[in-house]
Amino acid sequence: MVGISLWGDTETEKALRGRDTFAISSKNYAGDAYTYYLDTITSQQVGRVEAMVRRIRDIGVKVHFQLLSNDEGADGFSWKPEQLADLRSEMDELLDRYPETVISSRYYHQVLTTGTMLGRRFGWQECPSVSETHDTRVPQPRRLIRFIRWSADLKTTHRCCTSATRDCSTCKDGAAHMSWIMVNKRAHMRTSQDLQNWIEVYEMFAKLYRFIPW
């Protein structure tokens, strides 16, 4: 699969990235069954996500969600609890409304917007996506085996798949939260609902990378 980074609608992309990147990429990848957009939703987009989902649907590709962590402290882009709650409801509705376009799950939305899973809080001591070369945690949490984040020089390694300076307690990276759920399979065997939640996230992962037909 080809994953294309997207930071919201045209207005937000221009504010954060300096240009409307969707206008360019959509011309090159329209109708490609092996393409999805990774839409990094910002706090300013709450209530406005559907318009971008429709545009992605109309060019015949998929979309997956994550949230902006605002490492640079851009004015107006930090999250408030009520915004996260509203966004969770919005993503749930979009999943129901566009089942052939949105690759996601309700449980993923819950974990991503709350930063909690089974009473545990996401952070340095929980994250499964820490490069082995930088992982000094004792004891080791459940983690991705052989995970290493390489630099472009193919020699340097970084702490994780996001920013080296990111505060792990405020990280909203989608892949890290999805992996956090997936590596904790046994913890989700407490109830039938917990296990169903885990299976749905694993199915989301399999769909995202076309390990199963969809």
Side-chain angles (χ1 to χ4, degrees):
M1 294 289 286
V2 174
I4 303 177
S5 177
L6 179 68
W7 286 20
D9 55 20
T10 300
E11 178 183 338
T12 308
E13 284 249 289
K14 287 181 177 178
L16 293 176
R17 307 181 88 178
R19 66 191 307 178
D20 178 9
T21 63
F22 181 79
I24 301 169
S25 60
S26 60
K27 294 177 181 178
N28 295 319
Y29 289 95
D32 189 336
Y34 292 90
T35 292
Y36 75 92
Y37 280 92
L38 176 57
D39 189 2
T40 302
I41 302 172
T42 74
S43 57
Q44 295 194 359
Q45 291 174 257
V46 178
R48 295 166 33 194
V49 181
E50 184 173 11
M52 205 66 229
V53 172
R54 282 201 304 266
R55 292 180 68 185
I56 293 170
R57 176 203 61 188
D58 291 345
I59 66 167
V61 297
K62 312 294 187 184
V63 62
H64 178 59
F65 302 130
Q66 69 173 6
L67 279 57
L68 181 72
S69 296
N70 198 19
D71 292 328
E72 305 303 324
D75 289 342
F77 287 94
S78 295
W79 289 98
K80 298 177 181 177
E82 59 271 22
Q83 291 174 319
L84 291 167
D86 289 345
L87 179 62
R88 176 182 169 185
S89 297
E90 185 176 3
M91 291 191 294
D92 286 349
E93 291 175 5
L94 292 172
L95 178 59
D96 292 339
R97 202 172 299 158
Y98 301 92
E100 298 304 316
T101 301
V102 176
I103 306 174
S104 204
S105 85
R106 286 175 176 265
Y107 186 55
Y108 168 72
H109 298 162
Q110 174 188 323
V111 172
L112 186 60
T113 56
T114 64
T116 61
M117 177 189 72
L118 303 177
R120 293 151 54 183
R121 181 159 293 279
F122 187 84
W124 169 252
Q125 288 301 134
E126 290 280 350
C127 182
S129 306
V130 177
S131 292
E132 289 190 352
T133 49
H134 292 252
D135 198 347
T136 58
R137 295 172 292 182
V138 179
Q140 287 275 306
R142 292 196 174 275
R143 51 163 293 133
L144 297 177
I145 305 300
R146 309 304 302 172
F147 181 85
I148 296 180
R149 162 71 163 85
W150 295 97
S151 181
D153 62 11
L154 301 182
K155 297 178 182 179
T156 309
T157 63
H158 296 286
R159 182 188 68 178
C160 62
C161 56
T162 59
S163 166
T165 59
R166 174 169 294 178
D167 181 348
C168 297
S169 66
T170 59
C171 178
K172 292 178 173 53
D173 181 72
H177 283 73
M178 173 171 53
S179 300
W180 186 36
I181 297 168
M182 290 170 59
V183 300
N184 282 281
K185 177 178 66 175
R186 291 189 178 279
H188 285 84
M189 293 182 177
R190 304 183 310 177
T191 68
S192 58
Q193 184 60 59
D194 288 337
L195 183 57
Q196 181 177 328
N197 289 338
W198 183 88
I199 291 171
E200 288 178 355
V201 170
Y202 212 99
E203 183 180 52
M204 176 186 74
F205 171 81
K207 287 179 177 180
L208 191 61
Y209 297 106
R210 293 185 68 95
F211 294 147
I212 60 175
W214 189 44

